[in-house]
Amino acid sequence: MNILQINSSARSTGSASTRLADALVARVLAANPDAAVVRRDLAAEPHPVLDEPTLQALFTPTEQRTAEQAARIALDDALIAQVQAADVIVVGAPMYNFGITVQLKSWFDAIARANVTFKYTEKGPVGLLSGKKVLVGLSRGGLHRGNATDSQVPYLNTMFGFLGLTDVQYVYAEGMGMGPEAVARAQAQADAEINAILV
């Protein structure tokens, strides 16, 4: 089994979402001790945003790309290869201003590529990354689970589903900005949810 851990917090240390991702990976390893783990910290290794030169490179045939364009696309290719090789994808996803981080958005922009991780058909788009399990650790300063203020889960469900990743489970640590007692409750609840996950 191959596990891919994606840490998307802007913090390299002290991140609640990374703690959740670490705990989720530990849970998978407990059930699959021979599994290999690849960790990608999007704060320590920021991925470039999707900009006009990148779009031009993507829409240029491979054999016609400049060296600079080829080097830029190779960065995305590396992320795609990690996802394709993974059996389990673990994502640490903090909420920033009611959404996902720019780091995580850039990761999705990199791995969503037509005819590689999804394709368009007469019946609509079809994801090409099926057969993988996704575990997401969500950390929030407030309480948003099941409320209209939670734009993260609908977006993540849409993106994962678009890529063919339909086996997705979420673990929540909410109220992390509401004082020590709320943090302790959130961590205890998250730990209980992690322990209940079947891998």
Side-chain angles (χ1 to χ4, degrees), residues 1 5 12-13 19 31 62 88-89 102 108 112 114-115 138 146 162 192:
M1 175 183 285
Q5 178 177 343
S12 291
T13 59
R19 175 192 173 275
T62 302
V88 178
I89 301 168
V102 66
F108 275 121
N115 301 316
L138 299 165
F162 180 70

Side-chain angles (χ1 to χ4, degrees), residues 35-121:
V37 182
V38 172
R39 290 182 172 87
R40 169 77 62 162
D41 186 328
L42 299 177
E45 300 178 79
H47 195 77
V49 298
L50 182 63
D51 56 12
E52 185 173 4
T54 304
L55 286 173
Q56 290 175 342
L58 285 167
F59 286 100
T60 298
T62 302
E63 66 279 2
Q64 296 177 22
R65 289 174 185 156
T66 65
E68 183 179 42
Q69 288 177 323
R72 174 62 185 87
I73 299 307
L75 297 176
D76 289 359
D77 289 343
L79 296 190
I80 291 171
Q82 286 182 335
V83 172
Q84 290 173 327
D87 300 297
V88 178
I89 301 168
V90 176
V91 180
M95 176 181 278
Y96 290 178
N97 297 318
F98 303 101
I100 64 169
T101 65
V102 66
Q103 289 84 1
L104 187 54
K105 178 62 166 63
S106 292
W107 182 75
F108 275 121
D109 287 341
I111 68 169
R113 187 183 298 172
N115 301 316
V116 178
T117 56
F118 72 92
K119 65 180 179 180
Y120 289 111
T121 72

